């Protein structure tokens, strides 16, 4: 039972740590996708300013929407404070970059257009730096999660091995105790059986001796009683006759002599 419980617990722990490691790597993959989407947005924005074509402007706006969707998804996945701070930095930087892009598109030319373009380039660099910082942060976090998972798996395996060893040791100890108990009970029963057989033998011998003695006594008394019956009959008969007075004067001397 302890081995089964340990195995079940270790399975749950390994599963949880595996889910944590998968989540860390998923966040790393999402951060890289976010970085690619942000760089694509910056590239489409620059292409729209250089060429003035509407298709690049639409691509830049759709890229901005994709970046914001990925940011919203990452906010639900990342729970640590530093990671959320980096995500907030990307969202703020991207929002300012998109506003600068719209202002640059509305500027017709002159000093205002140049200043808006310079602000757009500056915010584009800030967005790239924020994206790079986020990816750099998520890489060690994923590697650390994997290392933590491996360490947890090793610890769980060690605990499982210890529990299994203790369980086997306890099972062997219980088997030894059971063997000793059964052996003791068997020896007690064997001793009791031998003692009962000895008593039964002694009783049978005593009964046989008693029967033999009774038979010898009967064999001795049977002839003796036959030999004594006739003389004793005379000794008992004449006194009875003398007491009863049935003998005449002639018979009394004979009875006295007898």
């Amino acid at each position: 039972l302890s081995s089964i419980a340990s195995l079940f617990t270790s399975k749950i722990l390994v599963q949880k740590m595996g889910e944590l490691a998968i989540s860390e790597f998923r966040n790393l993959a999402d951060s890289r996708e976010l970085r690619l989407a942000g760089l694509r947005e910056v590239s489409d924005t620059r292409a729209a300013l250089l060429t003035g074509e509407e298709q690049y402007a639409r691509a830049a706006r759709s890229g901005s929407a994709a970046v914001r969707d990925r940011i919203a998804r990452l906010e639900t996945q990342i729970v640590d404070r530093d990671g959320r701070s980096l995500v907030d930095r990307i969202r703020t930087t991207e929002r300012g970059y998109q506003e600068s892009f719209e202002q640059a598109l509305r500027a017709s030319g002159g000093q205002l257009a140049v200043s808006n373009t310079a602000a757009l380039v500056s915010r584009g660099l800030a967005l790239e730096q924020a994206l790079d910082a986020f990816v750099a942060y998520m890489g060690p976090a994923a590697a650390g999660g994997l290392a933590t998972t491996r360490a947890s798996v090793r610890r769980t395996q060690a605990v499982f091995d210890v529990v299994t060893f203790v369980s086997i040791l306890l099972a062997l100890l219980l088997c030894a105790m059971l063997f000793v108990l059964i052996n003791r009970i068997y020896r007690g029963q064997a001793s009791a059986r031998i003692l009962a057989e000895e008593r039964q033998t002694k009783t049978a011998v005593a009964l046989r001796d008693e029967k033999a003695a009774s038979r010898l006594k009967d064999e001795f008394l049977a002839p003796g009683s036959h030999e004594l019956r006739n003389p004793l009959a005379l000794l008992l008969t004449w006194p009875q006759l003398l007491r009863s007075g049935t003998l005449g004067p002639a018979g009394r001397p004979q009875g006295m002599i007898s």
Side-chain angles (χ1 to χ4, degrees), residues 108-129:
S108 58
Q111 188 67 26
L112 181 60
V114 173
S115 62
N116 288 334
T117 303
L120 181 63
V121 172
S122 176
R123 292 187 177 181
L125 292 175
L127 178 59
E128 292 177 1
Q129 292 175 357

Side-chain angles (χ1 to χ4, degrees), residues 31-121:
S31 67
R32 290 176 177 176
E33 290 180 0
L34 175 62
R35 181 175 180 273
L36 290 176
L39 294 178
R40 190 178 298 113
E41 178 187 357
V42 172
S43 177
D44 291 336
T45 301
R46 291 174 180 174
L49 292 178
L50 291 174
T51 61
E53 295 182 2
E54 183 63 24
Q55 60 177 357
Y56 291 112
R58 288 195 301 269
R61 294 188 182 97
S62 62
S64 176
V67 168
R68 293 180 182 181
D69 290 338
R70 285 181 170 83
I71 290 174
R73 186 172 60 185
L74 283 170
E75 284 180 340
T76 61
Q77 297 175 358
I78 298 176
V79 295
D80 59 292
R81 185 177 60 184
D82 295 335
R84 295 183 69 89
S85 176
L86 291 172
V87 172
D88 291 338
R89 176 186 172 187
I90 293 173
R91 182 176 59 249
T92 303
T93 306
E94 195 278 332
R95 186 183 298 114
Y97 181 75
Q98 191 63 26
E99 292 176 356
S100 298
F101 172 65
E102 296 296 336
Q103 293 176 1
L105 286 180
R106 288 194 297 268
S108 58
Q111 188 67 26
L112 181 60
V114 173
S115 62
N116 288 334
T117 303
L120 181 63
V121 172

Side-chain angles (χ1 to χ4, degrees), residues 140-153:
L146 181 59
T148 303
T149 302
R150 290 176 178 174
S152 299
V153 169

Side-chain angles (χ1 to χ4, degrees), residues 138-209:
M138 294 303 298
L146 181 59
T148 303
T149 302
R150 290 176 178 174
S152 299
V153 169
R154 286 194 295 268
R155 287 195 299 270
T156 304
Q157 185 65 37
V159 172
F160 175 71
D161 292 339
V162 170
V163 172
T164 303
F165 175 76
V166 173
S167 301
I168 294 174
L169 186 62
L170 289 176
L172 293 176
L173 182 61
L174 290 176
C175 290
M177 294 174 62
L178 183 62
F179 176 77
V180 172
L181 180 62
I182 292 175
N183 189 20
R184 183 176 299 176
I185 293 174
Y186 175 76
R187 286 186 296 177
Q189 291 179 351
S191 300
R193 185 171 60 252
I194 293 173
L195 183 61
E197 291 177 355
E198 290 178 354
R199 290 179 179 177
Q200 186 177 3
T201 302
K202 291 179 180 180
T203 303
V205 171
L207 183 61
R208 187 172 62 250
D209 294 342

